[in-house]
Amino acid sequence: MYVKKSDFKRQAILDTAYRLFRAQGFDKTSVAEITAAVGGSRATIYSHFSSKEELFVACMMAAAANYMVGTLKHLDASGADPGVALCNFGTSFLSFICSPEQLEVRRLMVAEAARSGTGKLFFDKISTLRAHVSAFLSACMASGTLRADDSNLAADHLGALLEAEILEPLLLHVREVSPEAEEIALAVKRAVAAFLRAYAPAGRQRRPLRRRPRHWRTGERLTGSSS
C-alpha cells in the first residue's frame, strides 16, 4: 500500500508535538520548537493543522483514536447478547483510559479546554468516537434487545457508568496505584449490569450480580452494593 510522503510528515509532526506537549505543556511548547525538532518550516505544520490548538487536540486524541479502532471491534450488533459485547468493549476502554499515559493526557485536555476553542475541538473528536457506540446501541434498540430511546444519550450514560468507580480518584491523584485487570473487570460488570437494567426492554428486568465489590483502598468487601 502506497503511503504519501505528506502522510509520513503529518505523523512525524503529531509524534513530535505529542512528546513536547506532554513534557512541557501547551504554553511552553512553541510551533517553532516543533518545527525545529521535526524539520521543515512553520508553513509545513500549518499546511496540516490550521493552528497550534488544532495540532494540540489532534496529537492528544491520535493515540485514543488509534486504540479505539480495536476497542470498537468488540461492538458487534449481530451478536445475540449485547451484555457480552459491552463487557468486552468496556474492559478494553477502561483499561486504556486508566493507563498512566492517558490519565496525563486527560489532565492536559481539561487544563487547556478553555483556550481558544480547544474544549470544543476535543468534544467534537470525542463525539466522533461516541458515534460508534451510539450506532451499536441503536442497532440493539432496533432489534429489541434494548429499550428504544435516544442512543446518543445512552452512549453517554454507558461511558459515565464505566468511568464512575475508578477514573476520578486516579485523575485527582487521590489514588496513585493503577487498577489491576480483576478490578477493572468487576467495575465493568457492575457498570454494564446497571446500564442493561436501565435500558432493559419493557417487562424484562435483569437480576443484579450478587458478589459484593472490594473497596479499592482497603480491600474490604463493601456492604449494600451488588456487582
Side-chain angles (χ1 to χ4, degrees), residues 60-84:
M60 289 296 114
M61 291 299 298
N66 291 336
Y67 182 86
M68 288 300 286
V69 169
T71 297
L72 290 168
K73 289 181 180 177
H74 293 296
L75 300 179
D76 179 9
S78 66
D81 186 356
V84 174

Side-chain angles (χ1 to χ4, degrees), residues 184-207:
I184 286 177
L186 289 173
V188 169
K189 279 186 179 181
R190 289 190 284 271
V192 171
F195 178 81
L196 293 178
R197 287 196 297 271
Y199 283 91
R204 191 186 306 173
Q205 186 72 30
R206 290 175 176 262
R207 292 182 179 179

Side-chain angles (χ1 to χ4, degrees), residues 149-169:
D149 208 316
D150 183 332
S151 60
N152 287 328
L153 182 60
D156 287 338
H157 288 164
L158 176 64
L161 285 166
L162 288 171
E163 295 181 0
E165 289 188 38
I166 299 175
L167 185 63
E168 189 172 56

Side-chain angles (χ1 to χ4, degrees), residues 8-227:
F8 281 116
K9 193 65 169 182
R10 186 179 191 276
Q11 189 60 51
I13 293 169
L14 286 171
D15 292 343
T16 301
Y18 181 69
R19 174 175 54 81
L20 291 172
F21 281 133
R22 284 187 62 206
Q24 303 172 170
F26 184 91
D27 282 329
K28 293 182 180 179
T29 302
S30 67
V31 173
E33 184 179 9
I34 297 169
T35 301
V38 80
S41 65
R42 290 168 62 95
T44 303
I45 289 181
Y46 285 122
S47 70
H48 292 280
F49 306 97
S50 62
S51 65
K52 180 181 169 183
E53 287 79 10
E54 183 182 326
L55 172 57
F56 176 70
V57 172
C59 68
M60 289 296 114
M61 291 299 298
N66 291 336
Y67 182 86
M68 288 300 286
V69 169
T71 297
L72 290 168
K73 289 181 180 177
H74 293 296
L75 300 179
D76 179 9
S78 66
D81 186 356
V84 174
L86 291 176
C87 279
N88 291 336
F89 164 78
T91 299
S92 182
F93 170 75
L94 194 57
S95 298
F96 178 67
I97 66 171
C98 288
S99 66
E101 179 176 330
Q102 285 304 304
L103 289 168
E104 182 182 336
V105 166
R106 183 171 286 210
R107 293 184 192 111
L108 274 172
M109 287 167 54
V110 172
E112 302 298 338
R115 183 187 302 278
S116 186
T118 301
K120 184 180 184 306
L121 289 172
F122 276 128
F123 186 80
D124 289 344
K125 290 281 188 182
I126 293 168
S127 295
T128 300
L129 297 176
R130 185 196 65 176
H132 293 281
V133 181
S134 175
F136 169 78
L137 297 177
S138 180
C140 291
M141 292 172 182
S143 69
T145 54
L146 293 179
R147 170 175 57 81
D149 208 316
D150 183 332
S151 60
N152 287 328
L153 182 60
D156 287 338
H157 288 164
L158 176 64
L161 285 166
L162 288 171
E163 295 181 0
E165 289 188 38
I166 299 175
L167 185 63
E168 189 172 56
L170 289 168
L171 282 173
L172 298 177
H173 294 287
V174 174
R175 171 179 180 170
E176 299 293 343
V177 180
S178 297
E180 295 184 356
E182 181 183 6
E183 183 182 2
I184 286 177
L186 289 173
V188 169
K189 279 186 179 181
R190 289 190 284 271
V192 171
F195 178 81
L196 293 178
R197 287 196 297 271
Y199 283 91
R204 191 186 306 173
Q205 186 72 30
R206 290 175 176 262
R207 292 182 179 179
L209 302 175
R210 296 188 179 280
R211 183 177 179 182
R212 288 181 292 149
R214 294 181 183 274
H215 192 280
W216 63 266
R217 181 183 296 164
T218 66
E220 295 177 353
R221 293 284 185 188
L222 300 179
T223 58
S225 301
S226 61
S227 64

